[in-house]
Amino acid sequence: MLESGTQDSRILLCLDISRLNRVSQFLLSTALVLASFLIYGYILEMTFHLEGMKEYSWYFTMLEFLQFSIFGLGERVVSHRCGLLKHKAPMSIYMLLAALTVATIGLSNMSVGYLNYPTQVIFKCCKLIPVLIGGIVIQGKKYGIIDFLARFTMSVSLILFTLTDSEIQPNFNIYGVVIISGALCADAAVGNVTEKTLNDHKATNSELILFSYSIGFVYIMFGLLLSAQLAPGFMFFQQHPLETYGYGAVFAITGYVGLNAILFQIKHFGVLAAVTVTTFRKMLTIILSFILFSKPFTFRYIWSGLIVLGGMLLNFYSKKKDIINNKFSALYKQMCQKKEAALLDQQNDSIDHI
């Protein structure tokens, strides 16, 4: 069931959808997540099919950050928020969040040039592994056997996917595994910092997006200047305007819409509902990637994907085991009571017959 939310106004992309019932709100936000991120993934893979594109992945990421910053500022303007550049969270937090976001998105985009896209998506599904490691090392958290079993199954699936790619992909590069692993670790940190920023400082979604992505844009631009890649990237994009600027605009728009829809679900329906939707979206992304783009296929991809799904289900059970156990216990007692009542009715019918 969806978690109960507050009765305050519910804003999705500057639109108040409070008049819709909760089911309609959930279905609308889910449709936006699925549609936007399926297009997002398709555009990303199609863009990196352009010969030479992987050399300029960071220039592509810089443009994405610039557009996200513009969208965030535009949302604040449309929402009539006073003080467009005022912020509730300290700027030091946004500088840290920007660095982590740059690493997450930049390395993720970069890995598409080296990895089979479904393998990249599977890696993203397994970010719970670095979350567990970080929780133990940084916060001293303790985890149960089910948590470790869930992460172990995910690790096995990653190994199987990587070995399968190395065998059937002619352009497989282990460098892509290193890159996406770095993105995975940064992504795990982004989630923790974002949650803390939203909860402790009551920052809005548009504020978080505006400052983290605008600062991230500055980081990437200076990095490209220092590495002398800014001018070559500009020239390459000028030579292929449709495949770069055109597709990049659609990529950024769909990404921004999807990000807002996910944040809306987290706030009003809970993390569990949002994670369920995004997991389903990733499964669809993998299926469509094999359908729309010609690539080698083997059933080992399916078995590896099922192992990932099993690990995610174990993680879900670990987080909600008390609720699940209580519900199954209540259901079992209800079934036993119905069975006893049915037997009692049969006995009474036998007595009446006699």
Side-chain angles (χ1 to χ4, degrees), residues 59-114:
Y59 189 89
F60 181 80
T61 304
M62 183 189 71
L63 294 180
E64 180 184 359
F65 271 68
L66 175 61
Q67 292 175 89
F68 267 53
S69 302
I70 295 173
F71 296 153
L73 182 61
E75 186 177 352
R76 291 170 74 86
V77 171
V78 174
S79 301
H80 304 291
R81 291 189 172 90
C82 298
L84 295 178
L85 297 181
K86 288 184 178 180
H87 50 90
K88 297 180 180 179
M91 191 56 65
S92 58
I93 291 181
Y94 285 125
M95 294 177 70
L96 172 62
L97 186 59
L100 293 172
T101 306
V102 166
T104 300
I105 299 179
L107 293 176
S108 181
N109 289 346
M110 187 179 178
S111 68
V112 179
Y114 299 91

Side-chain angles (χ1 to χ4, degrees), residues 43-58:
I43 293 294
L44 179 63
E45 188 168 6
M46 184 170 60
T47 300
F48 277 85
H49 270 68
L50 177 64
E51 186 176 355
M53 183 63 192
K54 72 178 182 180
E55 302 296 329
Y56 304 103
S57 62
W58 281 103

Side-chain angles (χ1 to χ4, degrees), residues 4-281:
S4 59
T6 59
Q7 299 300 318
D8 59 341
S9 60
R10 301 192 171 195
I11 307 298
L12 178 59
L13 294 170
C14 300
L15 298 176
D16 190 346
I17 60 172
S18 302
R19 294 184 178 181
L20 299 177
N21 59 48
R22 282 180 55 78
V23 173
S24 297
Q25 292 173 8
F26 181 75
L27 291 177
L28 175 60
S29 57
T30 298
L32 286 175
V33 171
L34 295 179
S36 59
F37 276 114
L38 287 176
I39 298 173
Y40 179 92
Y42 173 77
I43 293 294
L44 179 63
E45 188 168 6
M46 184 170 60
T47 300
F48 277 85
H49 270 68
L50 177 64
E51 186 176 355
M53 183 63 192
K54 72 178 182 180
E55 302 296 329
Y56 304 103
S57 62
W58 281 103
Y59 189 89
F60 181 80
T61 304
M62 183 189 71
L63 294 180
E64 180 184 359
F65 271 68
L66 175 61
Q67 292 175 89
F68 267 53
S69 302
I70 295 173
F71 296 153
L73 182 61
E75 186 177 352
R76 291 170 74 86
V77 171
V78 174
S79 301
H80 304 291
R81 291 189 172 90
C82 298
L84 295 178
L85 297 181
K86 288 184 178 180
H87 50 90
K88 297 180 180 179
M91 191 56 65
S92 58
I93 291 181
Y94 285 125
M95 294 177 70
L96 172 62
L97 186 59
L100 293 172
T101 306
V102 166
T104 300
I105 299 179
L107 293 176
S108 181
N109 289 346
M110 187 179 178
S111 68
V112 179
Y114 299 91
L115 280 181
N116 189 2
Y117 187 67
T119 302
Q120 189 222 44
V121 175
I122 286 293
F123 266 85
K124 288 182 178 181
C125 290
C126 298
K127 71 177 182 180
L128 293 172
I129 298 173
V131 168
L132 179 141
I133 297 174
I136 295 174
V137 176
I138 299 174
Q139 303 185 48
K141 289 185 177 181
K142 295 182 179 180
Y143 294 91
I145 186 64
I146 297 178
D147 294 296
F148 284 100
L149 182 59
R151 271 59 171 194
F152 174 75
T153 57
M154 291 180 179
S155 300
V156 170
S157 71
L158 289 180
I159 294 172
L160 291 176
F161 255 89
T162 304
L163 290 176
T164 302
D165 258 10
S166 64
E167 292 177 6
I168 69 174
Q169 290 292 334
N171 59 342
F172 176 82
N173 193 328
I174 192 64
Y175 184 50
V177 175
V178 176
I179 294 173
I180 194 61
S181 297
L184 204 64
C185 294
D187 192 23
V190 166
N192 290 323
V193 176
T194 299
E195 182 178 4
K196 184 176 180 62
T197 303
L198 292 173
N199 294 334
D200 293 356
H201 302 284
K202 308 303 179 183
T204 61
N205 295 341
S206 61
E207 174 189 324
L208 189 144
I209 293 174
L210 172 61
F211 287 100
S212 60
Y213 279 85
S214 59
I215 295 173
F217 165 75
V218 175
Y219 287 166
I220 300 174
M221 185 176 66
F222 273 104
L224 291 174
L225 283 170
L226 292 175
S227 61
Q229 288 296 311
L230 186 61
F234 176 79
M235 295 302 297
F236 179 81
F237 275 52
Q238 287 291 103
Q239 295 171 4
H240 310 278
L242 176 62
E243 296 88 344
T244 55
Y245 292 115
Y247 294 166
V250 178
F251 178 77
I253 292 171
T254 54
Y256 188 82
V257 171
L259 177 60
N260 272 272
I262 289 175
L263 292 175
F264 177 87
Q265 288 195 336
I266 291 174
K267 181 176 181 180
H268 297 292
F269 297 99
V271 175
L272 178 59
V275 169
T276 302
V277 171
T278 54
T279 300
F280 179 66
R281 188 271 301 176

Side-chain angles (χ1 to χ4, degrees), residues 345-354:
D345 289 341
Q346 289 179 358
Q347 292 175 357
N348 292 333
D349 289 342
S350 299
I351 294 175
D352 293 340
H353 181 71
I354 293 174

